[in-house]
Amino acid sequence: MSDRWYQQAVVYCLDIDTFADSNGDGCGDLPGLIGRLDYLARLGVTCLWLNPIHPSPGRDDGYDVADFYNVDPRFGTLGDFAELLHQAGNRGIKVIIDLVVNHTSDQHPWFRSARSSPDSPYRDWYVWSETAPADRHQGMVFPGEQAETWSYDRTAKLWYYHRFYEFQPDLNIRNPEVRAEIKKICAFWTQLGVAGFRVDAVPFIIEETDPGNPDPPKNFDFLTELRQHLQWRKSDAVLLAEANVEPARLAGYFGDGGGSGNRIHMLFDFMLNAKLVLALAREDPEPIIDGLRDTPELPPGGQWATFLRNHDEIDLSRLTAEQRADVFARFGPEPEMQLYDRGIRRRLAPMLGNDRRLLELAYALQFSLRGTPVLRYGEEIGMGDDLALKGRDSIRTPMQWSALPNAGFSTADPELLIRPVVESGDFGYEQVNVTLQRQDPSSLLSWFERMIRTLREAPEIGTGACTHVDLPVPRGLLVHRADNGTGSMLFLHNLGPDAVTADLSGIGDEAELPNDVLADSEYPDPGELADLPVSGHGYRWIRLRRRP
Ligand code: GLC
């Protein structure tokens, strides 16, 4: 068994403001989340990733932080946060929080001071230019919503750099005080008891921006420093990073190349995310096989985090134009479903036409691939989206707890809700909610509980080698396996609509009493693996052997 908790974790990602509102003001809060911990424990998640919890003007859903040492008063107090950590811990659930230190809000006291005077102690905490940088219309992360990466500040009479929106000025990583402050922020929250951080926008944090240079150097050493500092303060704390870069550049985020994983422990696998979606769109496992083959080898302790949906758009920018067109055609054909010319702003259930078989297939596949699975709130009940909301808000609607008004999320007047609940259609809260699914053994929620329990009995999946089984099999079928000292698991996922039968007798002699531990329906005993039927869009998780 692995002694690294994150390798066998099931991570559940949520936004406090849309999860559960305890005081009826229309905004979710920490006591509301505490009240739902039993639900999360039953689901089987072992780690919560909380989207930003800090005070914020809220112009980028909290990713514009105005105070790193507090919680947003709408969510409660630091006392409530400490209580959350305690109550979650009682249930064996760890909590990691978003660390958003590439930039601050323009309302952060540091930036207000920095812009107010050249003598401000914070002036050099941000990135300035005296003249309009030639590359100021390049490198925007949010095309269509963001016109430039350098904006003129009338107070400072200087241009300031912002990789994201203009209200998110970038911190200057070259400044040792900034680096020290970031470490202090990590130390503060680990001292309170968080288990680690989801580090936002890492490639941009370490960028040593120069006006006019679109590809500035990156300070990877800072990641080493940050890791050392964190591990000294809390030995099992983890860094889970967002670094959506080309595969060839990923290795440097895990370690310095000297063989040890001395930087980030876990990276989201954005490439695999796009390939998974492409494979589902084409009903063809080839992209996943490529994805498994093309990812760099990880240093010891390095780990991938897999996901199908997160709080952002599905980013298809690393696919070829042809691949992207296929995904758009299948899952996001209307312009209103697309975002930033590269992504899809829908939840998975609507993308898959609310087809239960496809939903199980997709999530069984994600959870069986190598790495730590991350699940976005509401996906476990098959929530839908609201394309009438702007940008990424479409997938950030309140959690649907029951058929009570406001989906049981809040008792506030609907006008006061942080965002409207999904009310009508197939995904309206009267159709899709936790209460309806909780006691129904055939619901998607019950399936997720079973699937996660099965996963947790199969430590090979998170910690072992995950390989494509390269034997001749029918079109549409993906066969992969996970092996480590605890045993071996075999997975068959049929991405195609037609039933197939696979002959895997080539590995039959490795099996000791193989049996299905999770499947879309009852199948005959796997026997010698010579004759393995799988229904259209079906899947089978077969335990090959188990070591004591
Ligand atoms: C990350 C977050 C995204 C946010 C951005 C700016 O990409 O995932 O939601 O808008 O950083 O902080």
Side-chain angles (χ1 to χ4, degrees), residues 101-102 124-127 170-179 182 204-209 217-219 222:
V101 291
N102 171 66
D124 187 52
W125 283 39
Y126 294 87
V127 184
D170 272 41
L171 284 165
N172 177 14
I173 197 71
R174 281 201 171 98
N175 185 326
E177 290 177 19
V178 168
R179 299 198 299 270
I182 294 174
F204 302 134
I205 296 179
I206 59 176
E207 200 166 62
E208 298 191 330
T209 311
K218 291 192 166 48
N219 181 354
F222 176 62

Side-chain angles (χ1 to χ4, degrees), residues 342-409:
R342 62 165 183 250
I344 297 184
R345 60 183 202 110
R346 305 178 80 189
R347 278 198 181 253
L348 199 71
M351 281 170 55
L352 300 182
N354 209 11
D355 181 325
R356 171 67 183 270
R357 293 187 64 73
L358 285 175
L359 273 168
E360 282 187 29
L361 173 73
Y363 276 109
L365 192 50
Q366 182 215 329
F367 277 60
S368 66
L369 289 169
R370 82 275 185 284
T372 298
V374 181
L375 181 67
R376 172 99 173 127
Y377 81 91
E379 288 294 297
E380 74 276 23
I381 54 170
M383 267 173 59
D385 42 50
D386 182 351
L387 297 179
L389 298 178
K390 69 168 187 17
R392 293 165 290 162
D393 284 357
S394 54
I395 48 164
R396 298 173 178 180
T397 60
M399 178 68 177
Q400 296 175 192
W401 293 104
S402 71
L404 286 168
N406 298 332
F409 156 71

Side-chain angles (χ1 to χ4, degrees), residues 235-294:
S235 60
D236 67 347
V238 73
L239 295 170
L240 162 59
E242 179 197 37
N244 188 356
V245 300
E246 301 96 83
R249 294 194 173 200
L250 284 166
Y253 289 86
F254 284 107
D256 61 11
S260 71
N262 59 352
R263 290 177 181 158
I264 304 284
H265 306 78
M266 266 201 290
L267 289 188
F268 286 105
D269 199 340
F270 279 93
M271 190 54 138
L272 189 64
N273 171 252
K275 300 240 162 159
L276 259 170
V277 176
L278 176 63
L280 290 167
R282 290 185 170 171
E283 305 203 316
D284 175 2
E286 235 18 76
I288 301 174
I289 298 169
D290 290 349
L292 289 178
R293 193 193 44 228
D294 295 345

Side-chain angles (χ1 to χ4, degrees), residues 12 21 34 38 101 109 172 183 188 244 266 296 340 365 395 433 444 523 534:
Y12 187 92
D21 169 18
I34 292 171
D38 289 325
V101 291
N172 177 14
K183 290 187 218 158
F188 174 79
N244 188 356
M266 266 201 290
Y340 310 136
L365 192 50
I395 48 164
N433 67 57
L444 184 63
Y523 286 105
V534 192

